[in-house]
Amino acid sequence: MVELQINTTQNVNINFTAASVGERILAWGIDWLIKIAYGIVIYQIMFKLLTIDEFIEDMDFWSQMAIIAVFYLPVIFYSLLFESLLDGQTPGKRILKIKVVKIDGYQATLSDFIIRWIFRIVDLNMMSGVIALITIITSPRNQRLGDMTAGTSVITLKNNVNINHTILEDLKQDYVPTYPSVIKLSDNDVRIIKDTFKTAKKSKDYKTLIKLRSKIVEVLELKEIKHNTDHEFIDVILKDYNYYTQNM
């Protein structure tokens, strides 16, 4: 089991567990089964039910290939399409509960997914995936070449999840917020803040708490801070964000 340290913009590390080679192979296999099933369905519909072969039989070879390729574009762009739409997951990855993330703590973007998709030609299509297997095994972050180039890795989401592992906070009904400017933050910002806060509290890393508080004050442009300790301040920031986003 490989522990993956993600360095956040607050200059602290958050630990995740990298997806194992077995999990990634199983996810890849499930995705291939889905693509094969799609290909069979398309073949049955287009060439059996609609007899499209009669339509294209008078065309030249390259025109025939072009028409067939159009129907199979979803197979070609399968991983790019799903990882973009499902926030770093294909159906196979979702079933295995693994996900593509950036190693800087942010969510992967479309350009990252495009880079990973392009490098599939080398990683997975050449030498039947041996290159990907070797690079994942030998990489300290379980990365294939596409991951290394895009600055991504694949992590497992199989940890037991409760409210403490999400950006959600348990608020009392009469809760009164203190800092309205928290709405400047995104869900991803708050996730990073909460993960960093939990890690620093657990290890009694007071320097990190000070840095985190300073960064929040800077981003939110706070002129007045109504809490004396870093612990109280960050805790209120998390609760305030939940209050405003749940009531918008």
Side-chain angles (χ1 to χ4, degrees):
M1 184 170 64
V2 177
E3 291 295 324
L4 174 66
Q5 281 195 335
I6 291 183
N7 188 18
T8 72
T9 53
Q10 282 78 30
N11 199 31
V12 294
N13 292 324
I14 299 175
N15 292 325
F16 292 94
T17 301
S20 68
V21 175
E23 288 174 320
R24 296 182 69 164
I25 291 175
L26 283 175
W28 176 82
I30 292 171
D31 288 330
W32 258 107
L33 288 176
I34 294 173
K35 287 188 278 190
I36 291 171
Y38 169 83
I40 292 173
V41 170
I42 288 297
Y43 177 81
Q44 293 295 326
I45 292 175
M46 296 300 172
F47 294 92
K48 297 296 183 180
L49 296 180
L50 301 183
T51 60
I52 195 172
D53 52 331
E54 297 178 1
F55 172 73
I56 66 174
E57 63 182 2
D58 294 329
M59 296 182 178
D60 63 81
F61 174 79
W62 291 111
S63 297
Q64 293 178 2
M65 291 299 100
I67 291 177
I68 293 173
V70 168
F71 291 116
Y72 288 96
L73 281 178
V75 173
I76 299 172
F77 293 99
Y78 178 91
S79 62
L80 176 60
L81 176 65
F82 279 111
E83 286 181 354
S84 302
L85 295 177
L86 300 181
D87 191 23
Q89 292 181 302
T90 61
K93 288 186 176 69
R94 176 156 290 192
I95 292 172
L96 269 293
K97 295 183 180 179
I98 60 178
K99 176 182 178 179
V100 179
V101 296
K102 290 285 286 182
I103 58 176
D104 61 4
Y106 282 95
Q107 294 181 355
T109 63
L110 177 61
S111 60
D112 299 319
F113 297 135
I114 291 174
I115 292 172
R116 295 183 82 256
W117 175 78
I118 291 174
F119 270 81
R120 290 177 71 88
I121 299 172
V122 177
D123 285 332
L124 301 175
N125 295 340
M126 294 178 64
M127 298 178 64
S128 301
V130 173
I131 294 177
L133 182 62
I134 293 174
T135 53
I136 291 173
I137 292 174
T138 58
S139 166
R141 290 173 169 167
N142 281 18
Q143 295 171 293
R144 63 178 177 87
L145 293 178
D147 288 316
M148 295 176 187
T149 308
T152 60
S153 188
V154 181
I155 63 170
T156 180
L157 304 175
K158 290 181 180 178
N159 299 323
N160 292 328
V161 177
N162 55 45
I163 194 170
N164 292 322
H165 297 98
T166 70
I167 66 171
L168 300 177
E169 294 288 328
D170 190 10
L171 302 180
K172 297 180 180 179
Q173 289 187 343
D174 59 350
Y175 180 80
V176 179
T178 307
Y179 305 105
S181 58
V182 293
I183 59 174
K184 293 181 179 180
L185 301 172
S186 67
D187 282 354
N188 195 53
D189 293 331
V190 176
R191 177 185 63 79
I192 293 173
I193 291 171
K194 184 167 185 177
D195 288 342
T196 305
F197 183 42
K198 284 172 51 186
T199 303
K201 279 198 306 179
K202 186 176 180 180
S203 60
K204 296 183 180 180
D205 185 355
Y206 302 114
K207 290 184 178 180
T208 294
L209 289 175
I210 293 172
K211 288 182 181 179
L212 184 56
R213 172 178 176 156
S214 299
K215 188 66 176 180
I216 294 171
V217 171
E218 177 188 343
V219 171
L220 299 185
E221 300 179 335
L222 296 177
K223 303 300 182 183
E224 181 183 2
I225 301 176
K226 300 178 182 180
H227 297 84
N228 294 325
T229 69
D230 301 323
H231 182 284
E232 290 176 348
F233 171 73
I234 299 170
D235 187 58
V236 169
I237 288 293
L238 294 171
K239 285 182 167 60
D240 281 4
Y241 182 82
N242 274 259
Y243 175 86
Y244 284 112
T245 54
Q246 290 176 21
N247 289 278
M248 288 178 67

